[in-house]
Amino acid sequence: MLAFLSRIYYILNPPQTRTPTYDTLPGKPLNFGCLGAAKIAPAALIKPSRTHPEVVLYAVAARDAKRADEFAKKHGFLKSFGGLGGYQDMLDDPAVDVVYNPLPNGLHFEWTMKALAAGKHVLLEKPATCTAAEAAAIYALAKRKNLVVLEAFHYRFHPAIQRVKAIIDSGELGAIKRVEAALTAPEGTAPEGDIRWDYNLGGGSTMDPGCYTVNVLRYLAGCEPTSVLTAKAIPYSDRPEHKQVDRIFWATLAMENESIGEIHANLDEKKLWGIIPRMPKLSAVVECENGTVELFNFLIPHFYHSIRVHPRGKAARVEKAYSFGGAAKGEVWWTTYRYQLEAFVDQIQGRTPQTWINGEDTVANMKWIEVIYAKDGFGSRPASKYQPCAEDERTM
């Protein structure tokens, strides 16, 4: 209990890194610019940056200049850019080295391409784009310009999910037969009018919590799907604008290793009897020839998680993995986002990150999201109307 309380305290109140001198920095300080004053930014970038000596919260841009200024002052950004041209003004600032893009899904492609064209590395919120073709175009441009792009599946950088993968890969439980992953959010997480219910902005359950379930299925199975056997989705409402916006989805996939994957997501799980909130589903279960392993809370395991390993015919055991131990980087209170930021900066600085998510992985994840949408009849989210302008093409 003391360890739990200590971990929670430091997660919520990360110790401020002592300002290092240039002589003691591992690498050149990186000036981060944040596109939009998004709600996810404090957890995903701002708090993790406080314990990373190479990360500088340099600028934030928002359509509303007042909001940008208030966000900058509240969270310690050195500059703010506002107004209709605020995003581009920030990209045009030569002092910005890295861009964090937490904009709505439908804007990811345009502003990531513009950031790359401006010579910036990009930490890109998931799902990376609305189509696999857009994701491929992003990584193609990044390769041509020798820039780093990372799709922010933060859970992949935490010791908990990596420990589960190590158990599977060890052969202790035999060949994989079935992988199940579920992620649900309680009613009200995305209220009426939220961008996550907007089809034109890439909304829907498969795009939001669902993209995690597709990703964790592929990661733990250690291979790609071969087909979507079944897929079903329920729309957010019966209004015409929501006919392609899924509130819930289920899918069954055949995998290359002849296992079966079952995934489920719900972006608005209704209360029991209309009054009792349901417990979120946050589990990934891998059934093998000789037993099972289950990770509870694969999404944000830094708060609490459990890894239950049950070899057939033997006693079950429960493991925890809050740090890698040994000489590996990390503290028991590091969040998934802090581990992710460490890997991202390492990659930019030319060091070898502890783990990485490459462009092929991102493109494949988007491909299977689109295949699921095709199977359930809801269709892919609209591709961006953005086309690189002549100036962008010269930089490419």
Side-chain angles (χ1 to χ4, degrees):
M1 179 58 70
L2 287 175
F4 171 76
L5 293 175
S6 175
R7 189 171 64 253
I8 298 303
Y9 174 82
Y10 284 115
I11 287 173
L12 300 177
N13 304 278
Q16 190 76 36
T17 300
R18 184 174 60 189
T19 303
T21 66
Y22 280 90
D23 292 337
T24 60
L25 275 173
K28 171 188 173 292
L30 299 170
N31 287 336
F32 275 64
C34 182
L35 281 171
K39 292 179 180 179
I40 194 175
L45 174 63
I46 293 165
K47 285 187 177 180
S49 74
R50 293 174 184 167
T51 59
H52 201 305
E54 294 172 83
V55 176
V56 178
L57 296 179
Y58 177 75
V60 61
R63 300 294 194 189
D64 185 318
K66 181 181 178 182
R67 186 181 181 202
D69 183 60
E70 290 175 348
F71 194 86
K73 290 176 179 177
K74 179 179 180 180
H75 296 294
F77 286 88
L78 302 179
K79 296 179 69 173
S80 67
F81 296 87
L84 294 179
Y87 292 171
Q88 189 61 53
D89 289 342
M90 190 185 79
L91 298 184
D92 290 339
D93 187 332
V96 174
D97 301 303
V98 183
V99 168
Y100 171 53
N101 185 351
L103 295 171
N105 300 334
L107 299 179
H108 283 182
F109 176 71
E110 175 181 355
W111 288 102
T112 298
M113 292 293 281
K114 287 180 175 179
L116 292 171
K120 320 299 184 184
H121 305 285
V122 181
L123 177 59
L124 175 58
E125 273 303 334
K126 88 301 293 173
T129 52
C130 289
T131 70
E134 289 178 341
I138 283 173
Y139 282 93
L141 177 56
K143 183 177 181 180
R144 290 196 293 273
K145 294 184 69 65
N146 195 30
L147 293 167
V148 175
V149 176
L150 173 64
E151 185 181 22
F153 276 112
H154 54 97
Y155 82 96
R156 289 269 294 269
F157 297 86
H158 196 271
I161 192 71
Q162 293 188 36
R163 175 57 188 153
V164 172
K165 187 72 164 68
I167 292 169
I168 296 167
D169 291 347
S170 74
E172 173 189 358
L173 302 174
I176 298 171
K177 293 298 182 183
R178 181 179 300 271
V179 180
E180 299 176 8
L183 185 56
T184 63
E187 182 178 2
T189 299
E192 180 75 21
D194 192 278
I195 58 171
R196 285 168 285 189
W197 303 126
D198 189 328
Y199 172 73
N200 292 315
L201 289 177
S205 183
T206 308
M207 289 288 284
D208 200 279
C211 74
Y212 282 100
T213 64
V214 175
N215 193 271
V216 75
L217 165 63
R218 296 172 47 252
Y219 177 64
L220 293 181
C223 64
E224 294 298 328
T226 56
S227 64
V228 176
L229 302 176
T230 66
K232 177 184 177 182
I234 295 175
Y236 175 59
S237 78
D238 57 5
R239 296 201 297 270
E241 66 267 29
H242 292 144
K243 67 179 181 179
Q244 291 177 273
V245 180
D246 50 313
R247 178 172 66 88
I248 312 171
F249 95 97
W250 301 263
T252 304
L253 296 88
M255 309 298 292
E256 289 175 344
N257 60 6
E258 299 185 354
S259 68
I260 294 295
E262 293 188 355
I263 53 179
H264 164 61
N266 188 339
L267 187 50
D268 191 50
E269 189 156 47
K270 302 303 181 184
K271 296 175 181 176
L272 191 63
W273 301 306
I275 54 173
I276 303 175
R278 298 176 188 267
M279 284 292 292
K281 296 181 178 68
L282 302 162
S283 294
V285 182
V286 182
E287 178 186 335
C288 302
E289 284 181 332
N290 301 317
T292 61
V293 56
E294 176 179 3
L295 172 58
F296 170 74
N297 196 11
F298 73 86
L299 181 66
I300 45 174
H302 46 268
F303 285 111
Y304 173 81
H305 69 267
S306 64
I307 303 168
R308 183 175 176 82
V309 186
H310 196 166
R312 185 169 292 114
K314 299 179 181 179
R317 68 180 189 271
V318 176
E319 298 185 17
K320 305 287 175 63
Y322 290 103
S323 65
F324 291 108
K329 298 176 183 177
E331 303 286 347
V332 293
W333 48 266
W334 273 22
T335 65
T336 53
Y337 300 106
R338 180 60 181 83
Y339 278 109
Q340 174 180 262
L341 185 62
E342 190 74 24
F344 182 56
V345 171
D346 280 349
Q347 186 79 357
I348 291 172
Q349 301 284 38
R351 301 186 292 263
T352 302
Q354 188 276 330
T355 194
W356 192 245
I357 300 172
N358 60 33
E360 290 80 5
D361 194 332
T362 291
V363 173
N365 216 64
M366 287 311 309
K367 168 189 171 180
W368 289 104
I369 287 172
E370 288 196 273
V371 175
I372 289 169
Y373 270 136
K375 186 74 172 182
D376 65 29
F378 278 54
S380 299
R381 309 299 86 175
S384 173
K385 295 180 181 178
Y386 170 73
Q387 296 292 329
C389 64
E391 183 179 350
D392 292 337
E393 291 287 357
R394 284 196 296 272
T395 68
M396 294 164 65

